[in-house]
Amino acid sequence: EAPAPTKVDTALAEQGRRLFTRKACDYCHSLDGSPATGPSLVGIARRSNRSALVDWSMDPELVYQREGRRPVHRGFPAMPRQEVTRQEAEAIAEFLLSLTPPSGR
């Protein structure tokens, strides 16, 4: 059974989209499944929740400790700590939750 869709704040998601580009998140993460330094973010809303996405953006080490391995995604380097505020991390998370994955993914 698929999880219920997450309600998204569209204004916050737009702010997050701009931050995603300005903070160069797209340097390591693709939004279309293409190869990149970090894992693709296609379908991230199906694999993660708002709180986890905020944690990833603010303090990846916290996530690594919680998951018990570093990196979490085999075959990729560990994500370095990003210089984002909680407000910025929440906006980026909202943007990622707003993404509609391609059919079949």
Side-chain angles (χ1 to χ4, degrees), residues 36 48 53 59 74 83-84 93 98 105:
S48 202
L53 293 171
D59 191 359
R74 287 176 174 72
E83 297 299 323
V84 296
S98 78
R105 291 202 185 173

Side-chain angles (χ1 to χ4, degrees), residues 9-27 31 84 87-96 98-99:
D9 178 326
T10 55
L12 187 59
E14 175 57 25
Q15 179 185 359
R17 182 193 64 75
R18 290 189 307 266
L19 283 165
F20 188 86
T21 302
R22 189 174 335 129
K23 298 287 185 175
C25 302
D26 55 350
Y27 183 78
L31 297 176
V84 296
Q87 190 174 26
E88 289 172 331
E90 289 172 353
I92 291 168
E94 202 71 14
F95 165 62
L96 294 174
S98 78
L99 299 174

Side-chain angles (χ1 to χ4, degrees), residues 51-63 79-90 92:
S51 177
L53 293 171
V54 169
D55 287 348
W56 269 117
S57 295
M58 290 188 66
D59 191 359
E61 286 302 323
L62 176 69
V63 178
M79 182 166 152
R81 184 178 181 109
Q82 305 300 302
E83 297 299 323
V84 296
T85 65
R86 173 163 285 286
Q87 190 174 26
E88 289 172 331
E90 289 172 353
I92 291 168

Side-chain angles (χ1 to χ4, degrees), residues 5-9 31 40 44-46 54 64 69-70 80 89 96-100 102 104-105:
T6 302
K7 183 153 177 72
V8 173
D9 178 326
L31 297 176
S40 170
I44 191 69
R46 292 184 182 162
V54 169
Y64 293 135
R69 67 178 192 245
R70 185 176 195 271
L96 294 174
L97 291 171
S98 78
L99 299 174
T100 304
R105 291 202 185 173

